Amino acid sequence: MQQVKGVISRAKDAPVELVNINVPDAGPGEAVVRIQACGVCHTDYHYVSGGIGNDYPYLLGHEAAGIVEQVGEGVTNVEVGDYVVLNWRAVCGDCRACDRGEPWYCFATKNAEQKMTLEDGTELSPALGIGAFIEKTLVAAGQCTKVDEGVEPAAAGLIGCGIMAGVGASINTAAVRRGESVAVIGCGGVGTAAIAGAEIAGATKIIAVDVDDRKLEQAREFGATHTVNSKVEDAVEAIRELTGGFGADVVVEAVGRPETYEQAFYARDLAGRVVLVGVPTPDMEITLPLAEVFGRGGALKSSWYGDCLPERDFPMLADLYLQGRFPLDKFVSETIGINDIDAAFEKMGRGEVLRSVVILEDAAEAK
């Protein structure tokens, strides 16, 4: 057992707190990871605001990179000293999805069996089964994915959630093909990653849609060929106009709201694909004419974590970055300390950052 500092959310909408946390030694199938950097993701704010559940207190943070410090009995995929990005969908290998050869849909992903606790023994709910706004965290060993050490932790950690969700929505879920047109509605971190993913896949027309001109200008740096400010022009009509009157082959909805999903639905071409990667709240509903669903054909898909396989896709993105083919470090808007998370949530809400990244340990000192 070790005691370290970590950031928790004790109740809905309460300020986050930096507290002492007890981290058990790694048990069978588990690993303790010394966290070097962790991104501040919208999902963490959803935990704070009560948008995900009520299992307080939550140990926040999940978009992280670090060094494996301990491994438990039976662990073979990582060793002490490995540089890893944490993932929140460690496939089980035995469920219905895994058995039919679709492990990216795994229905029984693994988390650590043991619980991290407060000093008084209160069990914590780690965000997405990780909990990485902390000096050291306990995870299932399958949640550790080795990547090239040449990628700095502040950038590498982002692969573990927002970057993978966005890139995967384009290259895995939508399966964007060379020469296709892609529209992305919502140009935050995930939407911008979807734009970058569409470029990697070979899309020739990539349309970024947002209400913030700053985000739209930034989207061009990641591969957008056209931009639409939906505050001043109709997004559906603009996308159609840019695609010969037909609509885009693929529309990625990266906001998670009924009104933007409806825009995505009507902005796609016949037989086109709509991919929902934005996370809605449980109360949201949408109504669509069934005749339109039938008549437009194509596919309406949800993207789970970019439908990724971490052991396949994380190293691939790290390698593309090191080759100069994927601008991973551009997603890092700022690096901050562990006491600055509330301020980072505020900046995120105002649309001022793609990602704030908490630095918990200097990478040079860790080597």
Side-chain angles (χ1 to χ4, degrees), residues 185-239:
I185 300 177
C187 297
V190 173
T192 303
I195 289 167
E199 184 180 48
I200 290 171
T204 51
K205 186 168 289 183
I206 304 173
I207 305 164
V209 181
D210 204 282
V211 297
D212 188 329
D213 284 331
R214 296 171 303 173
K215 291 184 178 181
L216 292 172
E217 185 61 32
Q218 191 167 240
R220 288 187 178 274
E221 299 178 22
F222 290 87
T225 59
H226 300 77
T227 59
V228 175
N229 187 323
S230 56
K231 185 182 287 186
V232 298
E233 57 183 318
D234 184 282
V236 175
E237 290 304 316
I239 292 168

Side-chain angles (χ1 to χ4, degrees), residues 20-315:
N20 290 325
I21 293 173
N22 295 323
V23 180
D25 292 335
E30 296 175 340
V32 172
V33 178
R34 190 170 74 250
I35 302 298
Q36 293 176 297
C38 183
V40 181
C41 177
H42 276 84
T43 303
D44 294 306
Y45 181 71
H46 287 322
Y47 280 108
V48 173
S49 62
I52 291 182
N54 195 40
D55 293 330
Y56 295 95
Y58 288 108
L59 172 59
L60 301 175
H62 60 277
E63 204 173 57
I67 305 295
V68 176
E69 187 172 90
Q70 293 180 4
V71 295
E73 180 183 347
V75 173
T76 58
N77 66 305
V78 290
E79 300 176 348
V80 172
D82 282 347
Y83 178 53
V84 298
V85 173
L86 299 184
N87 74 77
W88 45 269
R89 287 188 66 79
V91 297
C92 72
D94 298 315
C95 70
R96 305 186 306 285
C98 290
D99 284 347
R100 68 184 181 223
E102 297 177 325
W104 49 89
Y105 291 138
C106 180
F107 302 144
T109 53
K110 295 182 179 181
N111 295 319
E113 292 290 334
Q114 301 180 88
K115 292 289 188 179
M116 292 177 278
T117 66
L118 299 177
E119 287 185 288
D120 63 4
T122 300
E123 292 186 351
L124 294 167
S125 300
L128 294 179
I130 292 176
F133 288 151
I134 190 172
E135 294 166 342
K136 299 175 185 180
T137 195
L138 176 74
V139 293
Q143 293 179 274
C144 300
T145 306
K146 291 188 285 187
V147 298
D148 194 300
E149 294 182 359
V151 186
E152 288 295 316
L158 303 187
I159 296 173
C161 186
I163 302 302
M164 190 69 257
V167 171
S170 289
I171 66 175
N172 293 331
T173 314
V176 172
R177 296 184 288 268
R178 294 185 302 277
E180 286 195 309
S181 58
V182 177
V184 177
I185 300 177
C187 297
V190 173
T192 303
I195 289 167
E199 184 180 48
I200 290 171
T204 51
K205 186 168 289 183
I206 304 173
I207 305 164
V209 181
D210 204 282
V211 297
D212 188 329
D213 284 331
R214 296 171 303 173
K215 291 184 178 181
L216 292 172
E217 185 61 32
Q218 191 167 240
R220 288 187 178 274
E221 299 178 22
F222 290 87
T225 59
H226 300 77
T227 59
V228 175
N229 187 323
S230 56
K231 185 182 287 186
V232 298
E233 57 183 318
D234 184 282
V236 175
E237 290 304 316
I239 292 168
R240 287 179 177 169
E241 184 176 341
L242 289 166
T243 53
F246 301 118
D249 296 308
V250 172
V251 184
V252 177
E253 200 279 6
V255 181
R257 295 191 59 83
E259 56 268 34
T260 45
Y261 187 85
E262 186 171 336
Q263 288 176 334
F265 178 81
Y266 287 109
R268 68 181 173 132
D269 195 0
L270 294 175
R273 289 99 74 199
V274 172
V275 173
L276 175 64
V277 67
V279 181
T281 57
D283 60 307
M284 291 180 179
E285 297 181 352
I286 189 164
T287 301
L288 293 170
L290 193 57
E292 288 282 355
V293 175
F294 173 79
R296 288 178 174 270
L300 306 178
K301 297 184 173 184
S302 297
S303 185
W304 293 355
Y305 203 6
D307 292 344
C308 77
L309 281 177
E311 67 270 23
R312 175 194 68 194
D313 293 337
F314 287 14

Side-chain angles (χ1 to χ4, degrees), residues 196 199-200 221-222 320-321 324-332:
E199 184 180 48
I200 290 171
E221 299 178 22
F222 290 87
L320 286 176
Y321 165 68
R325 298 165 62 193
F326 181 66
L328 180 60
D329 52 355
K330 287 187 179 181
F331 287 91
V332 181

